[in-house]
């Protein structure tokens, strides 16, 4: 009878051990699912970071293009200013010539007058 009681006790211990093992398996599967979800989340975050970096690359390229275009516009404006300055100098020269012409005409009128 003692042997039978020991065997029943051993079987009961095996039942408890199997129950604990099954519980550990379920918990391990849950942890594996949590880790899988964490990995997916990390991959999504990484993809977003790559997207952000790509957007930064595009933004920098656009800024560089704007700088080049601004430089070109500045050169155009500088050339326009030089042209306007030259035209102004010519106009001043023409006005000075008109002043001389008028002075000569007035002198001629006075002398013939």
């Amino acid at each position: 009878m003692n042997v039978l009681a020991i065997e029943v006790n051993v079987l009961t211990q095996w039942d408890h051990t199997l129950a604990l093992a099954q519980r550990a398996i379920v918990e391990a599967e849950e942890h594996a699912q949590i880790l899988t979800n964490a990995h997916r989340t990390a991959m999504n975050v990484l993809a977003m970071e790559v997207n952000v970096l790509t957007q930064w690359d595009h933004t920098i390229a656009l800024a560089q293009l704007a700088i080049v275009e601004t430089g070109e516009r500045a050169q155009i404006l500088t050339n326009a200013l030089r042209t306007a300055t030259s035209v102004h100098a010519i106009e001043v020269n023409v006005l000075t010539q008109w002043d001389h012409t008028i002075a000569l005409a007035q002198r001629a009128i006075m002398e013939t007058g």
Side-chain angles (χ1 to χ4, degrees):
M1 198 60 150
N2 244 349
V3 173
L4 183 61
I6 292 171
E7 286 180 357
V8 168
N9 191 25
V10 168
L11 289 175
T12 303
Q13 292 302 317
W14 268 113
D15 285 346
H16 287 298
T17 303
L18 287 175
L20 289 173
Q22 287 171 337
R23 188 181 193 182
I25 290 169
V26 168
E27 288 179 1
E29 287 173 347
E30 289 171 352
H31 286 148
Q33 187 60 48
I34 290 169
L35 291 174
T36 299
N37 291 342
H39 180 261
R40 284 184 187 145
T41 301
M43 293 304 290
N44 287 338
V45 168
L46 179 62
M48 285 185 239
E49 288 175 348
V50 168
N51 191 28
V52 167
L53 289 175
T54 302
Q55 293 302 317
W56 269 112
D57 286 347
H58 288 221
T59 302
I60 289 168
L62 288 174
Q64 289 171 334
L65 182 61
I67 289 168
V68 168
E69 288 177 356
T70 301
E72 290 171 355
R73 288 184 187 138
Q75 187 60 50
I76 289 168
L77 291 173
T78 300
N79 292 343
L81 180 60
R82 286 185 183 147
T83 301
T85 303
S86 297
V87 168
H88 177 69
I90 292 167
E91 288 174 343
V92 168
N93 191 24
V94 168
L95 288 176
T96 304
Q97 295 301 318
W98 269 111
D99 285 346
H100 288 289
T101 302
I102 290 169
L104 289 173
Q106 287 174 336
R107 188 172 176 195
I109 289 170
M110 300 270 290
E111 288 177 358
T112 58

